[in-house]
C-alpha cells in the first residue's frame, strides 16, 4: 500500500486535451506528461491559447476533452473575473471567508500592499479588487500544506510594488503550496523558475531542472 | 459554511433587512387603525393578527425571494460558485448555504409575527387564548413549509436563468397557489374539462396554508389529523421542489 502523499502535486497526463467542443491545446501523446510539485509555476501563453481553460480543467470546473490529470491537494481556482458584492468592504469579505488566525495576517498584508479594507468593494480600483481575491486565496490555504492554488492572471491591474510583495511572499513562504499562476510578465528580465507554456496548441513544461529562465527567453518560444 | 457567512454578511451589509424588520414590526401596529375600530373596538386585535401575517407574506415574497434569486445569480456569475466548486464545495452544498442564509433572516421575521399575535392580539379568555396560540403555531409551520422550498427554487433558478426569472417563478407560483387555484376551482365547477381537473389536482394549493381567516374570524385551530394531512401534502411539494432545485442549481456561469 502506498503511503499517503503529503505534498501537493499536479500531473497532466500525456494525451490530455482541453477546450470547449474542439481541442484548444493538448499534451503531446509521447512522454510522461507534465508533473508540477510544490512551489510557484507560471502558466505562459499568448491570449486565447487556453490558459484559463487549462486552469478551469485542473480545478474540475470543466471536463477535459480527452486524457486525464491528477490534482493532489485542496484546489482553489481564482478566476480572473471573480468579484464580490459591491457593497462589501474587504474587511467583511475576509471575516466571512477566512479563519480568525488567518484574518489578522490578511489584514497585515493588505496594509503592506496598501489595500483599503474599509472601502466598499465596488469602489475599489481594478488592481485593488484583484488584491482582495488574491488575499482570500492566499489566506484560505490550510495549515497542512496540501494546497493547489490555480491563479488566473492575478497580477492584472496590480502595481509593480504589490506584485513584487506577493511574489516575495511566494518565494519566502515555505508553506508547501503548489501555485500555478497564469500571467503576462511585463519585463524581460523577470526570472521564471518553472513554467508551463502553451504554444502551437501544445502544452509543454519549461524551466524546472534546466534552471531559471528569464521571461525574455521564454517569450521567444510563444507564437 | 464560508458561502453561508459571505451571503449573510452581504445581506446584513445591504441593510434592506431593517425595512423588512420595521414592516413586520410596525405595520401591524398601525394598519389596524384603518378599520372602523371606533364603532367596534373588538376589531383591532383580529385586524392586528391579519396585518402581521399579511406583512410577513408580503415581505417574504417581495424581499426574501428576490434576495434568494439574486444570490443564486451572483454566485454563478461572479465566479464565487466556480471558486467554491474548485475547493470541493459541491453545487448542492452551495445552494443550501445560500438558502440557509436567507432562512436566517426569515426565522426571526416569523418569530416577530408570532410575538405580535401573542402579545398584541391575544384573546383574554383562557380557552380562546390556548386556541389562538395553537392556530398561530400551526400557521407558522405551514407558512414555513410553503415559503422555504420556494426560496430554494429562487436560488436555483436565479443561478441558471438570472435573478429576474429566478424571482418571477416563485412569485408567480406563490400567487397562483394562493389565489389562482381558487379561480381554477370555480372554472372546474362551471364546466367539466379533464385538462382543467388535472391542472387543479396538480396545482400547488398554497391557499390551504393561509390560516388568516381562522385568526380573523376566531374559528379555532385545525384538528390534528387535518393539520397533519396538510403537513404531509406540503412536505411532498417541498421534496419535489428541493429535487428540482438541486438539479437546476448551477454554481458557475455557462461557458
Amino acid at each position: 500500500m502506498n503511503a499517503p502523499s503529503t505534498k501537493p502535486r499536479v500531473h497532466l497526463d500525456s494525451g490530455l486535451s482541453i477546450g470547449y467542443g474542439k481541442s484548444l491545446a493538448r499534451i503531446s501523446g509521447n512522454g510522461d506528461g507534465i508533473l508540477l510539485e510544490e512551489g510557484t509555476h507560471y502558466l505562459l501563453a499568448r491570449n486565447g491559447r487556453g490558459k484559463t481553460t487549462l486552469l478551469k480543467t485542473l480545478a474540475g470546473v470543466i471536463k477535459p476533452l480527452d486524457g486525464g490529470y491528477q490534482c493532489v491537494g485542496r484546489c482553489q481556482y481564482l478566476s480572473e473575473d471573480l468579484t464580490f458584492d459591491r457593497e462589501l468592504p474587504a474587511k467583511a469579505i475576509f471575516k466571512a471567508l477566512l479563519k480568525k488566525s488567518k484574518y489578522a495576517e490578511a489584514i497585515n498584508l493588505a496594509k503592506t500592499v496598501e489595500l483599503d479594507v474599509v472601502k466598499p468593494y465596488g469602489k475599489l480600483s481594478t488592481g485593488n479588487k484583484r488584491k482582495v481575491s488574491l488575499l482570500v486565496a492566499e489566506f484560505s490555504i490550510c495549515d497542512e500544506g496540501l494546497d493547489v492554488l490555480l491563479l488566473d492572471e492575478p497580477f492584472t491591474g496590480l502595481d509593480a510594488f504589490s506584485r513584487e510583495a506577493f511574489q516575495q511572499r511566494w518565494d519566502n513562504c515555505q508553506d508547501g503550496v503548489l501555485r500555478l499562476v497564469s500571467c503576462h510578465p511585463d519585463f524581460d528580465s523577470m526570472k521564471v523558475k518553472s513554467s508551463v507554456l502553451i504554444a502551437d496548441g501544445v502544452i509543454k513544461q519549461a524551466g524546472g531542472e534546466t534552471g531559471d529562465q528569464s521571461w525574455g527567453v521564454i517569450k521567444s518560444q510563444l507564437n | 459554511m464560508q458561502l453561508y457567512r459571505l451571503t449573510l454578511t452581504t445581506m446584513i451589509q445591504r441593510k434592506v433587512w431593517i425595512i423588512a424588520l420595521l414592516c413586520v414590526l410596525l405595520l401591524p401596529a398601525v394598519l389596524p387603525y384603518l378599520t372602523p375600530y371606533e364603532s367596534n373596538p373588538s376589531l383591532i386585535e383580529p385586524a392586528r393578527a391579519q396585518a402581521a401575517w399579511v406583512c410577513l407574506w408580503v415581505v417574504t415574497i417581495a424581499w426574501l425571494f428576490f434576495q434568494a434569486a439574486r444570490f443564486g445569480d451572483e454566485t454563478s456569475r461572479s465566479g464565487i460558485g466556480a471558486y467554491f466548486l474548485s475547493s470541493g464545495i459541491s453545487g448542492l452544498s452551495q445552494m443550501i448555504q445560500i438558502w440557509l442564509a436567507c432562512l436566517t433572516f426569515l426565522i426571526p421575521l416569523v418569530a416577530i409575527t408570532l410575538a405580535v399575535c401573542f402579545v398584541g392580539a391575544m384573546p383574554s379568555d383562557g380557552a380562546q387564548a390556548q386556541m389562538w396560540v395553537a392556530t398561530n403555531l400551526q400557521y407558522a409551520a405551514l407558512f414555513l413549509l410553503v415559503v422555504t422550498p420556494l426560496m430554494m427554487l429562487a436560488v436555483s433558478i436565479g443561478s441558471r436563468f438570472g435573478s429576474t426569472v429566478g424571482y418571477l417563478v416563485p412569485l408567480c407560483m406563490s400567487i397562483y397557489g394562493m389565489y389562482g387555484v381558487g379561480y381554477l376551482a370555480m372554472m372546474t365547477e362551471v364546466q367539466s374539462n379533464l385538462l382543467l381537473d388535472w391542472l387543479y389536482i396538480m396545482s400547488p394549493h398554497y391557499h390551504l396554508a393561509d390560516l388568516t381567516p381562522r385568526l380573523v374570524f376566531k374559528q379555532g385551530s385545525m384538528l390534528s389529523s387535518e393539520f397533519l394531512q396538510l403537513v404531509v401534502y406540503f412536505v411532498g411539494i417541498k421534496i419535489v421542489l428541493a429535487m428540482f432545485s438541486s438539479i437546476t442549481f448551477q454554481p458557475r456561469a455557462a461557458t
Side-chain angles (χ1 to χ4, degrees), chain A residues 61 75-77 83 85 96-97, chain B residues 2 5 14 78 83 86-87:
Chain A
V61 177
C75 260
Q76 275 189 82
Y77 165 62
T83 54
D85 188 87
L97 296 179
Chain B
Q2 286 170 305
R5 286 202 302 270
R14 283 178 185 165
S78 66
Y83 170 73
S86 73
S87 54

Side-chain angles (χ1 to χ4, degrees), chain B:
Chain B
M1 296 295 278
Q2 286 170 305
L3 186 55
Y4 168 78
R5 286 202 302 270
L6 186 68
T7 310
L8 202 65
T9 308
T10 310
M11 285 179 88
I12 293 169
Q13 191 72 26
R14 283 178 185 165
K15 296 185 182 75
V16 185
W17 61 271
I18 299 172
I19 297 170
L21 188 74
L22 289 177
C23 282
V24 172
L25 209 58
L26 297 183
L27 287 180
V30 177
L31 291 179
Y33 293 102
L34 298 178
T35 59
Y37 71 95
E38 283 141 331
S39 56
N40 187 1
S42 65
L43 281 177
I44 286 280
E45 288 176 347
R48 186 168 292 142
Q50 183 180 22
W53 281 103
V54 169
C55 283
L56 181 65
W57 278 104
V58 170
V59 164
T60 305
I61 291 171
W63 176 57
L64 275 173
F65 282 8
F66 181 70
Q67 289 300 308
R70 192 172 159 187
F71 280 117
D73 183 22
E74 280 175 2
T75 302
S76 155
R77 276 195 302 126
S78 66
I80 290 174
Y83 170 73
F84 283 117
L85 198 63
S86 73
S87 54
I89 299 168
S90 68
L92 181 65
S93 171
Q94 289 185 34
M95 181 187 73
I96 291 173
Q97 288 188 40
I98 299 171
W99 175 73
L100 280 176
C102 296
L103 203 61
T104 306
F105 279 88
L106 178 65
I107 300 292
L109 294 180
V110 175
I112 290 168
T113 303
L114 285 174
V116 167
C117 290
F118 293 158
V119 176
M122 184 78 96
S124 49
D125 177 70
Q128 274 191 26
Q130 213 173 3
M131 204 66 103
W132 183 260
V133 171
T135 313
N136 275 291
L137 290 176
Q138 285 178 340
Y139 197 170
L142 294 177
F143 171 81
L144 287 172
L145 280 172
V146 166
V147 297
T148 52
L150 287 171
M151 218 154 66
M152 190 179 271
L153 190 70
V155 176
S156 73
I157 294 181
S159 73
R160 190 169 283 268
F161 301 108
S163 55
T164 309
V165 180
Y167 175 58
L168 285 177
V169 171
L171 172 76
C172 293
M173 271 184 75
S174 48
I175 291 173
Y176 172 69
M178 293 287 278
Y179 307 104
V181 175
Y183 289 107
L184 195 64
M186 282 195 281
M187 284 166 70
T188 53
E189 277 170 21
V190 174
Q191 60 178 62
S192 176
N193 183 320
L194 196 67
L195 186 73
L196 285 180
D197 289 342
W198 181 83
L199 188 64
Y200 180 76
I201 293 166
M202 297 303 288
S203 296
H205 291 258
Y206 292 142
H207 57 96
L208 297 173
D210 181 12
L211 303 190
T212 317
R214 276 185 181 271
L215 292 175
V216 173
F217 301 109
K218 294 193 176 167
Q219 291 169 334
S221 61
M222 296 169 88
L223 294 172
S224 303
S225 57
E226 196 185 352
F227 176 67
L228 275 176
Q229 264 185 344
L230 279 184
V231 168
V232 170
Y233 172 70
F234 286 122
V235 166
I237 294 180
K238 193 180 170 93
I239 291 169
V240 172
L241 289 182
M243 281 163 63
F244 179 79
S245 302
S246 58
I247 295 166
T248 311
F249 185 77
Q250 184 177 261
R252 60 188 167 83
T255 44

